[in-house]
Amino acid sequence: DNRVTCFFKDKTGYVWIGTENGLNRFDGSNYVIYRPSSNKKKNLSNAFITSVAQDAKENIWVSTTRGLNRIDAATDTTEIFLPDNKKELNSLPTDRIWDVYPANDTTVWIATDAKPFVKYNPVTRTFFYYDFKGYLQKNRIGYITGYHTIFKIQPLSETELLLAATDGIFSFNTTTGNF
């Protein structure tokens, strides 16, 4: 698919190319394609890829317009994260994910569509929400329109993230949890 949405070069040298029709892993000669399927390998929650990143254990995190995916580096199997209405506070708040940033072994930051900013701990398998909309409303920042979302996460240091959003660029302190 030539509708490329993102790309990423991992620690082993693979180039991961996100498109509107799946994820392509390129080794310099050949492509391996990941798309939604019933197979545990090369499976994704959705074909429209919004970002790709790698954690310290070399697992690949893939955000899509319908869920978050973690491709296990050792087994090439995919774990899919979707909202669970029964466990609302311990799952993703929405299935539309714009960006993912694995900061370390215990923290993965997730930019969701028009919902809270999310921290996921892969060790304890818990989600924690940060109220981005509430921050905007409290500070009267661009809160005239109804659509407020974070599209991109960029680390500045171990304790500070820059968040590109519909209302501007915001700093987020990962220690205090303050925007």
Side-chain angles (χ1 to χ4, degrees), residues 34-124:
Y34 294 74
R35 287 193 182 109
S37 77
S38 58
N39 188 349
K40 284 244 183 213
K41 290 190 176 191
K42 295 163 191 54
N43 181 29
L44 294 174
S45 61
N46 186 263
F48 196 116
I49 311 303
T50 56
S51 74
V52 181
Q54 187 173 37
D55 66 21
K57 295 180 179 176
E58 299 189 4
N59 299 309
I60 300 296
W61 291 82
V62 182
S63 61
T64 75
T65 56
R66 190 174 179 280
L68 179 65
N69 305 265
R70 185 186 62 83
I71 301 171
D72 186 286
T75 64
D76 201 32
T77 57
T78 305
E79 180 177 11
I80 296 174
F81 299 87
L82 293 168
D84 182 348
N85 294 333
K86 295 174 188 163
K87 295 192 280 184
E88 188 175 314
L89 293 178
N90 196 34
S91 74
L92 289 170
T94 182
D95 59 358
R96 186 164 290 204
I97 311 298
W98 292 118
D99 199 12
V100 60
Y101 168 61
N104 55 50
D105 286 345
T106 60
T107 305
V108 177
W109 295 102
I110 305 164
T112 64
D113 186 56
K115 297 288 183 178
F117 186 48
V118 178
K119 177 171 77 171
Y120 175 67
N121 183 323
V123 176
T124 62

Side-chain angles (χ1 to χ4, degrees), residues 16-45:
W16 297 82
I17 305 162
T19 72
E20 292 182 17
N21 192 30
L23 179 67
N24 302 279
R25 185 183 72 199
F26 183 60
D27 66 4
S29 300
N30 300 302
Y31 288 93
V32 174
I33 300 171
Y34 294 74
R35 287 193 182 109
S37 77
S38 58
N39 188 349
K40 284 244 183 213
K41 290 190 176 191
K42 295 163 191 54
N43 181 29
L44 294 174
S45 61

